[in-house]
Amino acid sequence: MASIPTLGAERAAGRVASRAATRELLGRARYDLLVIGGGILGTATAWTAAQAGLKVAMVDAGDFANATSSASSKLVHGGLRYLQTGAVRLVAENHRERRALATDVAPHLVNPLTFFVPVYEGGPHSAPKLGAGVFLYSALSAFRDGLGRVVSPRQAARAVPGLRTEGLRRVAVYGDHQMNDARMAVMTVRAAVDAGAVVLNHAEVTGLRFTRGRVTGAEVRDRLDGAEFGIDARLVLNATGPWVDHLRRMEFAGAAPSIRLSKGAHVVLRRQAPWRAALTIPIDQYRVSFAIPWEDHVLLGTTDEEYAGDPLDVRATDADVDQILSEAGHAVREEHLRREDITYAFAGLRVLPGGPGATAAAKRETVVTEGRAGMLSVAGGKWTTYRHIGRVVLEKLKHARGVGLAEDVSPIPATVPLPGIGAPQAVAHRLLMDREPGSRMDPLVARHLATHYGTMSFEIARMIAERPELGERVHPGGPDIWAQVAYAAEQEWAYTVDDVLRRRTTLTVRGLDTEEVRKRTAELLAR
């Protein structure tokens, strides 16, 4: 591996100064809204509220989307299985949001994907039932992803080389979308900042501020250097996901539990051959598992079991991996499920409303509650509808008692694109063409940049033009380049090695975050 490039003294100093300046700004001003938590819910609300003209601050104790929000199944989908419970309106609403993301908000980050549902002899569903289900599913999306239908095993096997064909009767087909959730989160944070929000990651709330018995801000500690400061706000939103009750107890020590947690684990494997479609694998009458081509690998999962431990300790266990591989084996041939091909395993926590019953049957809904000292808490949600959730929460904020935000909220457009919007194929083509003679970009790198940054890829290309060594691959086994590392540090709030390797690039999920790569990345960040 070649020697690592340097950031450039002026840019490195600017990053450090920017963080200190952000702390000063957060501590000096009074905000309309302080959002605590930078996952799906926090970033969606911060983005929406900033668009509406509110003065917004957002902090997160870790990195943005470092927990559950970057541990999803990477799907932007209508929810085929919801049709079994008669939730036709929910599926239609999901489809509308899915289409908006794929066409108007983030076509550079959200990619169409065909899904196969295999029907095996003795399986939990029949071909006519699934055929009717995928037809209705496609009808609810106005057939914009093609016609839901049933095809032969031979047709499906051509698209999915790992498909198990023994006992396979028919295969139902439908269309959905996928994305890289960590990249979506970073781009949404950037959109919130572009709209006027002030944000800081690795900033832990250590206490709440009160004025006449009402929550009016927070005490914060910078986890990177220990600096302490406070933030004043008219209204505080607790969007801390699995830690939502922890913060509620800061507001009122006797607050009763409001949520329960369900763990979902996933496994990433090297693929043996290219997959052109994903598998939705029926496990029983209600549960499904997925086998999805993702980042040139195959993503398997997910599990669904109640979790009562510390959210910081959540991880994919050996038992989780065993279960995931076993369930994938219902439809994937054994040679495509070798443990030695696993590059990464991860787990996240779904936040569900409190109550009895199995977590798999619990409603996946967003709940907003108001504490006795006026702090609002929001829990639950999914990536597909995160824009809609942001708008719903904004409506709750407008009507919070004793705050008077409604008169300060301006109308917002129906659709606002995320930064970098552009057709990936056009972006990749321009990256390949707009080069000096003798310095042509690798087509795989160009495609990778186009589908993870959109038109922001041109900023990365300019960095390479100024410092050609940044165009080198971080690891020869993947398409990520050193310019992405520099860009993450300079423009995307990346301060730790995991910020870069797991959430700004794809090195960790590809199993390429070797000791050498981590060391060199740390050296670059330090400079």
Side-chain angles (χ1 to χ4, degrees):
M1 187 181 298
S3 61
I4 68 167
T6 59
L7 281 172
E10 74 288 347
R11 289 187 182 272
R15 183 194 70 176
V16 174
S18 174
R19 186 169 181 88
T22 299
R23 288 199 306 255
E24 181 185 3
L25 183 58
L26 289 169
R28 185 179 68 230
R30 184 170 185 259
Y31 292 86
D32 295 319
L33 175 66
L34 167 60
V35 178
I36 304 173
I40 297 173
L41 300 181
T43 55
T45 303
W47 182 29
T48 306
Q51 289 177 58
L54 296 182
K55 192 172 184 177
V56 179
M58 182 176 73
V59 296
D60 192 288
D63 187 22
F64 300 123
N66 73 310
T68 300
S69 297
S70 59
S72 75
S73 297
K74 324 299 179 186
L75 297 180
V76 179
H77 62 145
L80 176 65
R81 70 185 183 90
Y82 300 151
L83 291 179
Q84 288 192 110
T85 61
V88 174
R89 178 177 294 181
L90 173 64
V91 173
E93 290 173 352
N94 289 349
H95 273 314
R96 282 195 293 271
E97 280 298 301
R98 178 176 66 89
R99 296 302 308 179
L101 288 173
T103 59
D104 302 319
V105 178
H108 53 312
L109 303 173
V110 176
N111 308 302
L113 184 62
T114 299
F115 283 75
F116 293 157
V117 189
V119 181
Y120 290 97
E121 183 178 352
H125 304 293
S126 67
K129 176 184 176 181
L130 282 175
V134 296
F135 178 83
L136 174 59
Y137 191 73
S138 61
L140 291 172
S141 67
F143 301 107
R144 291 178 181 173
D145 302 286
L147 178 66
R149 63 199 187 281
V150 175
V151 300
S152 70
R154 180 178 296 180
Q155 289 174 283
R158 285 198 293 265
V160 181
L163 181 64
R164 183 171 64 82
T165 55
E166 298 84 2
L168 182 59
R169 294 299 182 86
R170 302 290 284 176
V171 179
V173 184
Y174 66 97
D176 259 330
H177 287 77
Q178 69 173 170
M179 47 88 187
N180 182 308
D181 48 14
R183 292 299 316 164
M184 281 281 287
V186 169
M187 287 296 196
T188 305
V189 173
R190 186 158 187 165
V193 171
D194 289 347
V198 180
V199 305
L200 191 66
N201 54 354
H202 301 290
E204 178 185 8
V205 169
T206 57
L208 298 175
R209 289 185 166 185
F210 295 83
T211 302
R212 293 187 291 277
R214 185 176 184 85
V215 175
T216 55
E219 305 294 342
V220 185
R221 180 177 64 86
D222 191 323
R223 282 184 158 182
L224 299 185
D225 64 8
E228 297 182 349
F229 60 101
I231 305 174
D232 292 318
R234 295 166 64 186
L235 187 62
V236 174
L237 178 69
N238 170 15
T240 54
W243 294 273
V244 67
D245 282 340
H246 171 73
L247 207 65
R248 289 177 62 246
R249 287 190 290 272
M250 285 188 184
E251 178 188 29
F252 171 56
S258 65
I259 62 167
R260 54 182 175 148
L261 303 175
S262 166
K263 186 176 82 168
H266 295 80
V267 168
V268 182
L269 298 96
R270 298 182 191 89
R271 65 186 187 186
Q272 304 301 312
W275 289 36
R276 296 194 301 275
L279 298 178
T280 299
I281 306 168
I283 303 302
D284 54 36
Q285 283 290 332
Y286 298 100
R287 275 197 69 234
V288 300
S289 191
F290 293 104
I292 304 169
W294 183 71
E295 300 293 2
D296 306 318
H297 286 58
V298 176
L299 176 71
L300 305 178
T302 178
T303 60
D304 193 336
E305 63 176 355
E306 190 154 5
Y307 183 83
D310 187 334
L312 288 175
D313 296 334
V314 68
R315 62 184 180 86
T317 65
D318 289 341
D320 293 328
V321 173
D322 289 341
Q323 178 184 341
I324 291 168
L325 294 178
S326 174
E327 291 181 347
H330 291 200
V332 180
R333 297 205 308 271
E334 187 174 321
E335 62 266 29
H336 291 261
L337 299 174
R338 299 182 307 192
R339 278 183 173 269
E340 57 266 34
D341 287 332
I342 295 176
T343 60
Y344 187 50
F346 61 93
L349 296 173
R350 305 175 188 90
V351 180
L352 307 173
T359 56
K363 292 183 178 180
R364 267 58 170 170
E365 60 184 16
T366 304
V367 178
V368 183
T369 58
E370 182 175 354
R372 61 171 59 191
M375 182 176 70
L376 295 186
S377 295
V378 58
K382 56 189 295 185
W383 267 114
T384 302
T385 54
Y386 88 117
R387 285 188 331 132
H388 173 70
I389 292 170
R391 292 166 188 256
V392 168
V393 175
L394 180 62
E395 284 299 311
K396 297 284 188 180
L397 300 177
K398 283 168 55 177
H399 299 101
R401 294 175 297 169
V403 182
L405 284 183
E407 58 193 35
D408 299 321
V409 174
S410 302
I412 61 177
T415 302
V416 176
L418 288 179
I421 186 171
Q425 287 185 334
V427 172
H429 178 76
R430 183 174 158 189
L431 287 170
L432 292 172
M433 296 298 104
D434 291 357
R435 303 289 292 168
E436 295 294 327
S439 61
R440 184 172 182 267
M441 183 178 287
D442 185 324
L444 290 178
V445 172
R447 179 176 65 86
H448 175 71
L449 294 178
T451 55
H452 291 74
Y453 299 85
T455 58
M456 301 246 171
S457 302
F458 304 138
E459 296 180 11
I460 296 176
R462 283 192 291 271
M463 295 173 69
I464 299 172
E466 295 172 3
R467 289 174 279 165
E469 69 275 13
L470 291 177
E472 298 175 7
R473 295 197 191 195
V474 177
H475 189 288
D480 294 287
I481 56 177
W482 282 111
Q484 292 175 253
V485 179
Y487 190 78
E490 297 169 12
Q491 303 293 335
E492 295 186 335
W493 306 279
Y495 293 93
T496 72
V497 171
D498 280 339
D499 290 352
V500 173
L501 301 185
R502 182 175 179 267
R503 289 175 290 275
R504 305 303 187 280
T505 68
T506 65
L507 288 154
T508 293
V509 299
R510 295 175 189 270
L512 304 178
D513 57 345
T514 63
E515 183 177 344
E516 180 70 7
V517 165
R518 295 184 70 86
K519 176 185 174 183
R520 291 170 178 262
T521 301
E523 291 173 358
L524 187 149
L525 290 172
R527 295 175 188 177

